C-alpha cells in the first residue's frame, strides 16, 4: 500500500505515487500482489520510482496461498517470481500470508512449499490460526519449520487495537476483520518483520508501540535489520506515524540512518 486519500502525493498520477511514498518511507507491504501477479510494465514502473535500497515485501498471490493452499502451485509461483525479477534486491522478502484456516495439520505442506522457493530469496510467513499462538507445541513446531529454511514469521500485533472498544467506524471495521491473537515478538532471523496495528487516535497508537520500540532497539543492537509497518484502522496518519516511530528509534540508536526528505508534491508555479 503506497497511496491513500489523506497522504501527500494523492494528487499525482497513479504511476507516480510510489515515488512520493518512497520519499517518506523506505519499505512497503506488497498488498497489490496478493490479488494478482502484476504486469511486467507495472514492475518496471516500480523499479523506476524507487531507489535500489528500497524494500518491497511482496505477498504471494492469493491463488497460491488461499485458493490452492500451497498445493500444485509451481506454475503460478514461477510466473510470479519471473515477473518480479527486475526488482532485484528491492525484493526484501517473499511474503507468504496464510488464511486463518491454515493450521497445524498443514505444517508439512508449508515446509515443503518453503523448501521449493528460491534459496536466495528471504521468506516471511504470516499465520493466523489460533493454535500457533495458544499452544506452545505448535508454536515451536512452526518455528522449527521456518528455521529449517531460514524463513521469518511475520509478527502481527493487534493488541492495542483490541485493547479498548472501537471509537470510530474504521475501528469498528478493523475489529470485524483483523485477527485477535496474542502478541509474539521473537525473531527467527536477522531480518524480522512486524505489522503493528494501532488506533485512529495517533497518541494512543504511539503510546502503544513502546513494546516494539524497546524490541526494535534490542534487535538493532543485536545486529538485526528489522522492517516495521505501522498501521491504524483508517491509515490516514500512517506515513507520519511511521516516520515518528523511526525517529524514536534513532533517538536511542543514533547510527540508524535517517529516512529521506519527502518530495514536494505541490504544483509548480512561476511565482
Amino acid at each position: 500500500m503506497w497511496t491513500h486519500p489523506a497522504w501527500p502525493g494523492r494528487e499525482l498520477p497513479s504511476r507516480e505515487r510510489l515515488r512520493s511514498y518512497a520519499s517518506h518511507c523506505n519499505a512497503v507491504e506488497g498488498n497489490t500482489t496478493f490479488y494478482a501477479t502484476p504486469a511486467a510494465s507495472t514492475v518496471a514502473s516500480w523499479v523506476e520510482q524507487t531507489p535500489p535500497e528500497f524494500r518491497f515485501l511482496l505477498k504471494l498471490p492469493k491463488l497460491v496461498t488461499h485458493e490452492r493452499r500451497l498445493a500444485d502451485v509451481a506454475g503460478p509461483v514461477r510466473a510470479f517470481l519471473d515477473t518480479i525479477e527486475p526488482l532485484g534486491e528491492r525484493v526484501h522478502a517473499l511474503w507468504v500470508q496464510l488464511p486463518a484456516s491454515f493450521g497445524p495439520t498443514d505444517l508439512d505442506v508449508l515446509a515443503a512449499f518453503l523448501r521449493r522457493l528460491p534459496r536466495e530469496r528471504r521468506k516471511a510467513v504470516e499465520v493466523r490460526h489460533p493454535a500457533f499462538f495458544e499452544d506452545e507445541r505448535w508454536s515451536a513446531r512452526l518455528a522449527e519449520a521456518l528455521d529449517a529454511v531460514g524463513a521469518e514469521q511475520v509478527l502481527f500485533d493487534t493488541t492495542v487495537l483490541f485493547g479498548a472498544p472501537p471509537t470510530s467506524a474504521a475501528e469498528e471495521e478493523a475489529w470485524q476483520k483483523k485477527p485477535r491473537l496474542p502478541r509474539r515478538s521473537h525473531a527467527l532471523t536477522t531480518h524480522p518483520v512486524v505489522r503493528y496495528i494501532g488506533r485512529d487516535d495517533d497518541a494512543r497508537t504511539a503510546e502503544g508501540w513502546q513494546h516494539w520500540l524497546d524490541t526494535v532497539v534490542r534487535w538493532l543492537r543485536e545486529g538485526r535489520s528489522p522492517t516495521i509497518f505501522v498501521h491504524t484502522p483508517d491509515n490516514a496518519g500512517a506515513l507520519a506515524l511511521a516516520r515518528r516511530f523511526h525517529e524514536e528509534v534513532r533517538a536511542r540508536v543514533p547510527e540508524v540512518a535517517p529516512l529521506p526528505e519527502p518530495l514536494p508534491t505541490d504544483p509548480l508555479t512561476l511565482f
Side-chain angles (χ1 to χ4, degrees), residues 160-180:
V160 171
L161 171 65
F162 290 111
T167 59
S168 69
E171 289 182 358
E172 289 271 9
E173 183 178 2
W175 266 49
Q176 297 173 21
K177 294 183 176 180
K178 301 298 183 185
R180 189 185 301 224

Side-chain angles (χ1 to χ4, degrees), residues 41-64:
S41 59
T42 299
V43 174
S45 171
W46 296 351
V47 173
E48 193 272 330
Q49 293 183 70
T50 55
E53 66 275 10
F54 189 81
R55 294 181 176 186
F56 285 90
L57 284 82
L58 297 177
K59 294 180 182 178
L60 293 180
K62 64 179 181 179
L63 170 66
V64 173

Side-chain angles (χ1 to χ4, degrees), residues 64 68 70-82 113 116:
V64 173
R68 298 190 183 179
L70 310 184
D72 190 25
V73 292
V77 169
R78 175 42 55 196
F80 178 76
L81 295 175
D82 288 346
F113 174 78
R116 290 192 293 269

